[in-house]
Structure formats: C-alpha cells, structure tokens
Amino acid sequence: MSEKSPTVKGAAALRDHFNQAPAEGSSAAVEAVLRPPTFADFTGQAKTVERLRVMVGAARARGEALNHILLSGPPGLGKTTLAFILGHEMGRKVRVTSGPVIEKAGDLAGLLTNLTEGDILFIDEIHRLAKTVEEYLYSAMEDYRIDILIDQGPNARSVRLSIPRFTLVGATTRTGLLTAPLRSRFTLQSRLDYYSREDLVKIVRRSCQLLKIDLAEAGAQVIAARARGTPRIANNLIHFVRDYAQQRSSGTVTASVVEAALELLEIDRAGLDEMDKRILRIMAHNYKGGPVGVNTIAVAVGEEEHTLEEVHEPFLIQEGYLQRTPQGRVLTAKGWQAAGLPPPTSAEGMQPELI
C-alpha cells in the first residue's frame, strides 16, 4: 500500500480500477477525483479507520472476503469513500447501488449473481430497502444463496441461486430504521461523526492541491470553520470559491476572496446558512423560543420535516443553538443570540410547555 498522497492522475486510474463510472457531468468526475483512495490518505474518523484496517489485514492474511460492514452517520462524512477504499485495499471491485433502486427480488438477484469472489456490494441508504427485498438479503449474507420464486399460482416454483462470497457494505443516515435481523448480520457496525476543524483544514488543503488551487492558509481556515464538520460541504465551498475568484477577482484565492464568496452564499462565520438562521428567527419571533414541534417549524419555514431533522437540526443541536426536549425544540441562549434577539429574562417570556 502506497503511503504517498495521490495525484489527480492516480485517483482517476483508481476510479477505472473500481469499474465504477461517474455520473454524467464534470462535477461527478471531480468528486471521484477528490476521494482519497487509501486509508493513508483518509483524514479523520480514526476509530472507524482503525477497525477497518484490522478487518482488511486479517481478511488479506486469510485470503478471504471481508465480513459485512455497516457504516452510519450524517450525509457527506465519507461512507461511500470508505467503501471504495476497502475495494482498493482488498484489490476487489466495488459495485454501487442504493436501497430505493432495488425494488424487487429479481433486481437483487441480478446484482448478486454478477459479482465475483470477494467483490464488494455497496448499498447506500440501505434502510430504504423494501422489506421483501431485505428478507432475500438475509440468506445472501449468511449462506451466499438466494431463493427466487418464479411464476405464480400452480406453476410457481422456487429456484435456488448460489452466489460467490461477497462483502456487503451498507450505509445509512438513520440506523434506527434498520430492522434488527438485518442489523445483526453485519459483523462491524461503525458510526461516522462530524469532523474537527483541524481535520477539515487538512481535507481542504488536499482538495485544493488536487484541483490546483493556490489557497492561502487563512482561506483554508475560513472554509473549514464554515463547513459544518462535513468534508462534502467543504469541497462544495472550495468549488464555489474557485469560481468566485475567477469571476470577481484576479483568480488568486486569498482569505478576503474566500470571505466574500461565502458571504455571497450567506454562510456566516459560525457556519450557519440562511435556512439555519431562518429556523432560529422563526422560533424566536413566532414561538418565543419554544418548545415547538419540528413539524410546526417545517411548515413555518416551508421545508420538509425530514430535511430539517437530517440536514439542519444535527448541526444546530451539536453547536448548542437548539435543544431537543420531549415537548419540542427549544432555543438556547446561543440560539437567541444567533437570531439577533436577547434571551427572555423570565419564565413569562417563554412559550408555555406543550401538553
């Protein structure tokens, strides 16, 4: 395993090795290039990476396929990237699909029978698998076979298909929606957490190096501070900052250019975007800081409830702007400050608790 940082050319060659063509459009190709190809190039998630290193080392020593792995956590933290790294470290191909795409047992059978010994099947959003499909997956994961029912009525018959030993890597943003039988069939279950600012600075530097962007150290610090602990957001900000520098300045990406670009995106120094601030302002102005239900907030801001729960709430709660209580969401003193209002000084200033 090489300890050297990958080049753009090397990352592109690695993508071809995976036999996983990116979606149409240059943005998908660039995203594939920015993925670190080895554990040595992956920044952050130290506990998860160490666990995966142990499994990979043992599997390679025995000459066997990896055991099944479940990766969970918020979007954009590297679940897909780790699946590709596992394929590279094991020298196997990675087949990528998602839970909603597999609508019936025949779809799953087609995926599994096209695998070769030791291949990795990566299922994103695995909690959204249809229940009927999930039941077929049980025997595939344990016994490496799948029984398919052909025809209906008196002509119905069951056909048993043997499949090669493979590794299932599942990714989910909502572990609680996985059924217990499916979850228990994964040998390793590991959660990815938000990245520290120091790790994000390293990721920003690496991405800028691959994209050949001359970014000042102060600019890297600014992007990392506003990336909400998420590498995907950091890379998205880098792309916009580069575009802004080309159109509104001489092309040099200084700290002041980064600040101006992110101001245009309405992302403040704390990483709060316009929707975050809108949520906080509505809770402060309309509901006196709460408690208020998330469905009420969703209607008030014109956004889907699950989007608030999966995209905005985790960051606001982690950073101390909101509290989640049995009665509903409540603004903290920091949340009141971000909304531009002083917190109430007495209980009379708060909305009565929901019964």
Side-chain angles (χ1 to χ4, degrees), residues 228-251:
R228 303 165 70 95
T230 306
R232 181 180 295 163
I233 294 177
N235 287 330
N236 290 341
L237 295 179
I238 290 170
H239 291 312
F240 185 80
V241 166
R242 178 179 63 174
D243 295 342
Y244 184 92
Q246 291 176 351
Q247 293 297 311
R248 299 292 175 88
S249 70
S250 61

Side-chain angles (χ1 to χ4, degrees), residues 128-147:
R128 297 177 62 187
L129 274 175
K131 298 306 177 187
T132 53
V133 174
E134 181 180 309
E135 291 172 359
Y136 282 98
L137 197 56
Y138 297 160
S139 59
M141 294 174 69
E142 287 190 331
D143 304 322
Y144 300 99
R145 62 175 176 80
I146 186 170
D147 297 316

Side-chain angles (χ1 to χ4, degrees), residues 105-164:
D107 298 335
L108 179 63
L111 284 170
L112 295 176
T113 54
N114 282 320
L115 297 174
T116 57
E117 189 79 14
D119 279 358
I120 294 174
L121 176 62
F122 176 69
I123 302 181
D124 198 10
E125 297 299 306
I126 194 170
H127 64 270
R128 297 177 62 187
L129 274 175
K131 298 306 177 187
T132 53
V133 174
E134 181 180 309
E135 291 172 359
Y136 282 98
L137 197 56
Y138 297 160
S139 59
M141 294 174 69
E142 287 190 331
D143 304 322
Y144 300 99
R145 62 175 176 80
I146 186 170
D147 297 316
I148 299 295
L149 189 65
I150 299 177
D151 290 335
Q152 296 179 350
N155 296 323
R157 64 187 187 279
S158 178
V159 176
R160 174 166 294 183
L161 302 176
S162 296
I163 56 178

Side-chain angles (χ1 to χ4, degrees), residues 17-274:
H17 168 74
F18 289 147
N19 195 28
Q20 181 62 34
E24 294 183 5
S26 59
S27 61
V30 170
E31 183 180 353
V33 165
L34 294 181
R35 293 189 190 280
T38 67
F39 286 130
D41 297 298
F42 190 90
T43 301
Q45 311 297 341
K47 292 181 180 179
T48 295
V49 169
E50 189 61 26
R51 294 164 188 161
L52 295 177
R53 282 180 182 269
V54 169
M55 291 185 67
V56 167
R60 291 175 61 178
R62 294 193 301 265
E64 298 177 356
L66 276 171
N67 290 323
H68 306 302
I69 298 167
L70 177 66
L71 301 174
S72 62
L77 299 187
K79 297 184 289 295
T80 304
T81 297
L82 285 173
F84 280 109
I85 289 175
L86 288 171
H88 173 66
E89 299 287 350
M90 293 295 297
R92 301 296 182 182
K93 292 180 180 178
V94 179
R95 306 289 182 177
V96 179
T97 186
S98 63
V101 172
I102 309 173
E103 298 179 345
K104 53 186 183 296
D107 298 335
L108 179 63
L111 284 170
L112 295 176
T113 54
N114 282 320
L115 297 174
T116 57
E117 189 79 14
D119 279 358
I120 294 174
L121 176 62
F122 176 69
I123 302 181
D124 198 10
E125 297 299 306
I126 194 170
H127 64 270
R128 297 177 62 187
L129 274 175
K131 298 306 177 187
T132 53
V133 174
E134 181 180 309
E135 291 172 359
Y136 282 98
L137 197 56
Y138 297 160
S139 59
M141 294 174 69
E142 287 190 331
D143 304 322
Y144 300 99
R145 62 175 176 80
I146 186 170
D147 297 316
I148 299 295
L149 189 65
I150 299 177
D151 290 335
Q152 296 179 350
N155 296 323
R157 64 187 187 279
S158 178
V159 176
R160 174 166 294 183
L161 302 176
S162 296
I163 56 178
R165 292 185 66 89
F166 73 102
T167 300
L168 176 63
V169 178
T172 178
T173 56
R174 306 183 70 178
T175 310
L177 296 184
L178 283 174
T179 61
L182 178 60
R183 191 166 58 247
S184 65
R185 283 170 167 81
F186 289 99
T187 301
L188 174 67
Q189 302 174 31
S190 193
R191 177 176 175 81
L192 276 61
D193 295 316
Y194 288 106
Y195 288 64
S196 68
R197 185 172 300 183
E198 292 74 19
D199 286 340
L200 283 175
V201 169
K202 296 177 184 177
I203 292 170
V204 169
R205 290 189 195 125
R206 177 182 179 276
S207 296
C208 288
Q209 180 182 2
L210 292 175
L211 295 173
K212 298 181 180 179
I213 299 173
D214 185 14
L215 179 66
E217 178 63 22
Q221 294 285 346
V222 172
I223 292 176
R226 304 192 189 191
R228 303 165 70 95
T230 306
R232 181 180 295 163
I233 294 177
N235 287 330
N236 290 341
L237 295 179
I238 290 170
H239 291 312
F240 185 80
V241 166
R242 178 179 63 174
D243 295 342
Y244 184 92
Q246 291 176 351
Q247 293 297 311
R248 299 292 175 88
S249 70
S250 61
T252 303
V253 186
T254 62
S256 60
V257 169
V258 174
E259 292 274 5
L262 299 186
E263 286 299 323
L264 183 59
L265 290 176
E266 297 184 303
I267 299 175
D268 68 13
R269 295 177 181 273
L272 296 174
D273 60 23
E274 181 57 31

